């Protein structure tokens, strides 16, 4: 029951007040559902799915990816859909991205997939084919 007063306090704090300006996302200037961030060797790597692609952003600053280096590392193949919730991890000298993907218009077909970088550089080349 202790969580109910906390939830009420949070609801009051985030509810819009008359005359306030709209909230501006301090990290990106566009919608980025299911983001994932990791820190590696002094850089933050943000991965997200947008426009049927997986895009990696690299920044020294966690709170601003607007001017960060970015690269589309995977494009949704024909006949596939529901590209969701990517995660990026550095393991054994390569980067790996795990994500959910399924057949177009068939949510129950979603499965976990993975792609691997060809080097220790997340902004370099990646495998073109996802494996599950």
């Amino acid at each position: 029951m202790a969580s109910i007063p906390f939830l009420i306090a949070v609801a009051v704090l985030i509810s819009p007040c008359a005359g306030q300006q709209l909230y501006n996302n301090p990290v990106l200037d566009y919608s980025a559902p299911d983001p994932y961030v990791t820190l590696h060797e002094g850089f933050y790597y943000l991965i997200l799915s947008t426009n049927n692609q997986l895009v990696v952003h690299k920044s020294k600053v966690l709170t601003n990816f607007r001017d960060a280096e970015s690269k589309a590392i995977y494009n949704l193949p024909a006949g596939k859909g529901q590209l969701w919730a990517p995660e990026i991890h550095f393991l054994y000298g390569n980067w790996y991205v795990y994500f959910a993907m399924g057949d177009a218009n068939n949510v129950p077909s979603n499965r976990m997939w993975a792609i691997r970088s060809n080097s220790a550089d997340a902004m370099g080349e990646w495998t073109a084919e996802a494996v599950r």
Side-chain angles (χ1 to χ4, degrees), residues 43-63:
F43 286 95
Y44 293 96
Y45 293 89
L46 167 68
I47 181 96
L48 48 91
S49 58
T50 183
N51 297 324
N52 294 324
Q53 294 180 317
L54 296 178
V55 179
V56 176
H57 298 270
K58 178 181 178 182
S59 177
K60 282 289 223 182
V61 181
L62 176 61
T63 56

Side-chain angles (χ1 to χ4, degrees), residues 48-127:
L48 48 91
S49 58
T50 183
N51 297 324
N52 294 324
Q53 294 180 317
L54 296 178
V55 179
V56 176
H57 298 270
K58 178 181 178 182
S59 177
K60 282 289 223 182
V61 181
L62 176 61
T63 56
N64 188 351
F65 285 89
R66 285 186 175 92
D67 300 319
E69 181 181 359
S70 65
K71 179 174 183 151
I73 61 168
Y74 187 76
N75 293 305
L76 188 69
K80 294 293 183 185
Q82 336 295 322
L83 188 60
W84 292 343
E87 290 187 11
I88 187 167
H89 302 276
F90 187 77
L91 301 166
Y92 307 109
N94 292 88
W95 288 95
Y96 294 84
V97 172
Y98 301 91
F99 57 96
M101 181 173 65
D103 297 331
N105 302 316
N106 185 5
V107 174
S109 72
N110 281 1
R111 300 290 182 266
M112 293 304 300
W113 297 77
I115 58 174
R116 181 183 66 140
S117 67
N118 295 339
S119 70
D121 180 11
M123 307 313 284
E125 296 302 314
W126 286 74
T127 54

Side-chain angles (χ1 to χ4, degrees), residues 16-29:
C17 297
Q20 273 190 332
Q21 292 183 351
L22 293 176
Y23 174 77
N24 290 320
N25 185 338
V27 178
L28 289 170
D29 289 326

